[in-house]
């Protein structure tokens, strides 16, 4: 089968599109005929050797995947050959940037039926990140106020929608090009961060501050003043510290997304109910994945890119 993999850490040039052996599932594993994987900045970080995730080389990236089950290992219950599934795969194992991938059965859930199967690869890790940031780490509840910094990004828009659906008052930052999308996601207030000082624009304090953007550390620290005593600052930018304020009881936490089958199943149900929109901005063939990594190395990739093996 065809796959993209790297045998040493380094720049995008270490990625190779090549023939590899089709994997066979062990006990409690299934093999998926891949419809699509999704590119993530974390994939690039693992390839470059800057994320502390112990991958075994050679490694196939693409931990977000969608596809069809085509082989079962021993002891697998609840899945059958032909099932359409999505999953957030263990990051240390081979991913879905290939024609087939082997995955733990417990990492997979039924795919949404309301969108193309390939597009569903764009859902798992980013939607789980937003959910865990808001509710598991941020303890956000109905009636509270949340400020989402970087709401125009993929995780940010999921966070806005999920927070609004939970009954929170959502204040969001966005540039003019994404203001309409952020409002459509459910933001009560949208602040143009390109022209407005947040400290002046936000009226009153918030219970949760969620940062999803590569913000300046000094600016991030200053924004903690917008969080009420006893509130929470949550960040998805793991490469920089998350500021808090111990004197006021403002807790700081950084999100490291974790697989969660029940949560992913709930997110799929929200997609099929029309309450959550899966964003796909580009679709590229698998052979072009190294070029996408090269593009990401010199600038941020906007939106969510799915990678098609066919």
């Amino acid at each position: 089968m065809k796959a993209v993999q790297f045998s040493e850490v380094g720049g995008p040039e270490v990625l190779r599109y090549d023939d590899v052996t089709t994997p066979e599932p062990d006990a409690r594993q299934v093999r998926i005929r891949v419809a699509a994987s999704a590119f993530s900045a974390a994939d690039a970080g693992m390839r470059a050797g800057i994320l502390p995730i112990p991958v075994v080389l050679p490694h196939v990236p693409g931990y977000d995947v969608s596809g069809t089950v085509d082989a079962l290992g021993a002891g697998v219950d609840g899945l059958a050959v032909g099932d359409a599934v999505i999953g957030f795969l263990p990051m240390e194992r081979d991913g879905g940037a290939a024609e087939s991938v082997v995955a733990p059965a417990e990492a997979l859930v039924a795919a949404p039926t309301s969108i193309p199967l390939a597009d569903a690869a764009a859902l798992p890790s980013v939607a789980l990140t937003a959910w865990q940031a808001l509710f598991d780490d941020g303890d956000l509840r109905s009636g509270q106020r949340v400020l989402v910094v970087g709401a125009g990004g993929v995780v940010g828009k999921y966070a806005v929608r999920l927070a609004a659906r939970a009954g929170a008052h959502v204040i969001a930052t966005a540039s003019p090009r994404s203001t309409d999308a952020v409002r459509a996601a459910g933001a009560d207030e949208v602040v143009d961060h390109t022209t407005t000082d947040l400290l002046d624009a936000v009226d009153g304090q918030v219970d949760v501050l969620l940062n999803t953007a590569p913000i300046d550390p000094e600016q991030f620290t200053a924004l903690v003043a917008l969080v009420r005593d006893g509130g929470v600052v949550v960040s998805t930018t793991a490469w920089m510290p998350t500021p808090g304020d111990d004197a006021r009881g403002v807790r700081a936490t950084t999100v490291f997304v974790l697989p969660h089958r029940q949560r992913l199943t709930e997110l799929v149900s929200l997609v099929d109910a029309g309450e959550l929109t899966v964003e796909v901005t580009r679709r590229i063939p698998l052979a072009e994945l190294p070029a996408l990594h090269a593009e990401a190395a010199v600038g941020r990739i906007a939106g969510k890119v799915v990678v098609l093996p066919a």
Side-chain angles (χ1 to χ4, degrees), residues 235-288:
S235 181
T236 65
T237 52
W239 51 269
M240 62 180 287
T242 302
D245 188 340
D246 291 341
R248 296 195 299 113
V250 176
R251 178 169 57 87
T253 182
T254 304
V255 178
F256 295 92
V257 61
L258 299 172
H260 197 301
R261 194 176 191 184
Q262 179 184 346
R263 293 282 185 262
L264 186 54
T265 299
E266 292 178 49
L267 289 163
V268 167
S269 70
L270 292 178
V271 172
D272 282 338
E275 296 190 43
L276 204 60
T277 300
V278 176
E279 177 179 340
V280 177
T281 50
R282 289 162 62 186
R283 299 167 184 84
I284 65 168
L286 179 60
E288 294 181 12

Side-chain angles (χ1 to χ4, degrees), residues 97-159:
E99 292 180 325
S100 293
V101 64
V102 162
E106 66 269 15
L108 304 173
V109 304
T113 59
S114 58
I115 61 173
L117 181 57
D119 286 0
L123 177 70
S125 68
V126 284
L128 283 171
T129 296
W131 186 300
Q132 291 170 13
L134 290 170
F135 307 116
D136 297 336
D137 293 323
D139 196 26
L140 183 69
R141 299 182 298 279
S142 178
Q144 291 189 323
R145 287 162 53 88
V146 58
L147 170 60
V148 181
V149 176
V154 179
V155 173
K157 286 197 283 291
Y158 280 124

Side-chain angles (χ1 to χ4, degrees), residues 4 14 44 57 61 80 89 91 115 118 121 143 182 253 262 276 304:
V4 170
V14 302
L57 299 176
L89 307 183
M91 297 173 74
I115 61 173
V182 171
T253 182
Q262 179 184 346
L276 204 60
K304 198 66 178 172

Side-chain angles (χ1 to χ4, degrees), residues 46-71:
M46 287 187 282
R47 184 217 69 232
I50 60 176
L51 279 185
I53 296 173
V55 300
V56 175
L57 299 176
H59 179 73
V60 177
Y63 51 78
D64 281 322
V65 69
S66 64
T68 305
V69 174
D70 74 351

